Amino acid sequence: MYSEEKITDPYTGPELLDALEKPEKIHKVVQEAILLAGGAVAILLQIAEPGVAQGVDNHSNFAYRPLDRLRTTMTYVYCVTFGTREEKKAVIEMAHRAHASVNGPGYSADDPQLQLWVAATLYAVGIELYQGMFGMFEDADAEAIYREYSVLALSLRVTPDMWPPNQKEFWKYWDNQIATMVVTDNAKSVAKDLLRNEEAPLQIRLLLPLVRLMTAQMLPDRLRQAYGLRTSKVRRTTYRFIMGLTRATYPCLPKTIRTYPMKYYMRDMRRRLENAA
């Protein structure tokens, strides 16, 4: 059990935990397995921020453990969204402890500006994929879901005033970030390990051509070019065909299948918390 009276860190205190208990509409989005299709896109967007790229390249090992960041990210997102109050607190504290060691000249994983960008990529990629499958939200629902996504940022040491107050301001922030990002050698190194990983298990290597195709088409043009990913009329047509086929079939799948990854990662998280107790 975790006692809130012992908390001294304001970023894991009762006020944050109270806020994390309120989201309702975000559940509808986060539970969908289709969001995993944007995993590589979100990572490449995140590491287009030089500070994030330096931290990931220096402190992660994509070459030999390519799914680690996806696992930790999705475990965090699912737990913060669906976990119990104690589970959320435990996972947030674990993330903060892990981030404490990820620092060096010019970067720190605890930098709120970097974590704001990480949270922004999770919202932007997730909402694009969800609406691509199920259609656009009504304005009121779209704003409510956007506001609830802020809990992912707040739990990463981002202060409430840093999260843009509405979608219009968010997309201004987003466009400015995309226009000014610099894809560094650190970012290119991580992207190579992620998309062209010769050390990955065979089943992952077989999927990488498809992952590269989908990721290249989903990235903004400027960043796709900076990463050296290719596009062409044939690739764009193939992408549209795959997305159209997925749009026609995915929403028809039973909810138990569409939410299986969420349930799997939640079970994995609970098992790890029990082992750590």
Side-chain angles (χ1 to χ4, degrees), residues 47 49-63 69 98-99 101-109 114 184-191 193:
I47 62 175
E49 162 57 61
V52 177
Q54 195 171 355
V56 173
D57 194 25
N58 291 346
H59 297 270
S60 299
N61 193 337
F62 272 75
R69 188 171 179 87
H99 287 166
S101 63
V102 181
N103 58 75
Y107 72 94
S108 169
L114 299 186
T184 62
D185 289 341
N186 290 120
K188 292 176 182 178
S189 174
V190 174
D193 286 342

Side-chain angles (χ1 to χ4, degrees), residues 84-144:
T84 67
R85 188 180 182 91
E86 289 188 345
E87 289 169 347
K88 291 172 182 178
K89 179 180 182 296
V91 168
I92 290 170
E93 289 180 337
M94 289 170 61
H96 290 177
R97 286 195 298 270
H99 287 166
S101 63
V102 181
N103 58 75
Y107 72 94
S108 169
D110 278 334
D111 184 338
Q113 292 292 346
L114 299 186
Q115 295 299 350
L116 172 62
W117 175 241
V118 169
T121 66
L122 297 177
Y123 168 74
V125 174
I127 209 69
E128 179 180 352
L129 282 167
Y130 184 92
Q131 292 187 138
M133 294 298 108
F134 296 98
M136 301 295 289
F137 286 112
E138 297 290 337
D139 289 346
D141 285 340
E143 283 294 342

Side-chain angles (χ1 to χ4, degrees), residues 4 8 19 28 30 37 47 51 95 97-98 101 105 115 117 122 137 142 149 151 156 169-170 176 196 198 215 251 253:
E4 290 180 17
T8 57
K28 186 176 183 180
V30 172
I47 62 175
R97 286 195 298 270
S101 63
Q115 295 299 350
W117 175 241
L122 297 177
F137 286 112
Y149 252 94
V151 301
L156 293 171
E169 293 302 314
F170 174 86
N176 180 68
R196 302 183 182 277
E198 297 179 358
T215 300
L253 294 175

Side-chain angles (χ1 to χ4, degrees), residues 233 235-245 247:
K233 184 176 180 179
R235 289 170 182 269
R236 290 190 292 272
T237 300
T238 303
Y239 171 76
R240 288 194 292 269
F241 172 78
I242 292 172
M243 291 300 290
L245 181 62
R247 190 178 301 116

Side-chain angles (χ1 to χ4, degrees), residues 12-88:
T12 56
E15 291 185 2
L16 173 60
L17 295 173
D18 288 343
L20 295 179
E21 287 186 338
K22 295 176 183 177
E24 297 175 356
K25 294 182 181 296
I26 190 178
H27 290 176
K28 186 176 183 180
V29 176
V30 172
Q31 70 181 352
E32 294 291 343
I34 192 63
L35 269 62
L36 295 175
V41 179
I43 291 173
L44 264 59
L45 286 166
Q46 290 166 17
I47 62 175
E49 162 57 61
V52 177
Q54 195 171 355
V56 173
D57 194 25
N58 291 346
H59 297 270
S60 299
N61 193 337
F62 272 75
Y64 295 97
R65 304 173 71 178
L67 296 182
D68 269 13
R69 188 171 179 87
L70 178 63
R71 179 192 185 192
T72 55
T73 298
M74 297 315 300
T75 297
Y76 193 89
V77 170
Y78 290 140
C79 183
V80 169
T81 309
F82 293 97
T84 67
R85 188 180 182 91
E86 289 188 345
E87 289 169 347
K88 291 172 182 178

Side-chain angles (χ1 to χ4, degrees), residues 195-243:
L195 299 177
R196 302 183 182 277
N197 194 326
E198 297 179 358
E199 304 295 336
L202 178 61
Q203 62 270 30
I204 294 178
R205 295 203 305 273
L206 292 175
L207 289 173
L208 287 181
L210 177 60
V211 172
R212 287 196 296 271
L213 184 148
M214 301 298 287
T215 300
Q217 302 312 310
M218 292 178 70
L219 279 173
D221 289 345
R222 179 176 178 274
L223 295 184
R224 181 179 62 245
Q225 294 170 9
Y227 278 114
L229 297 174
R230 293 182 293 172
T231 188
S232 65
K233 184 176 180 179
V234 172
R235 289 170 182 269
R236 290 190 292 272
T237 300
T238 303
Y239 171 76
R240 288 194 292 269
F241 172 78
I242 292 172
M243 291 300 290

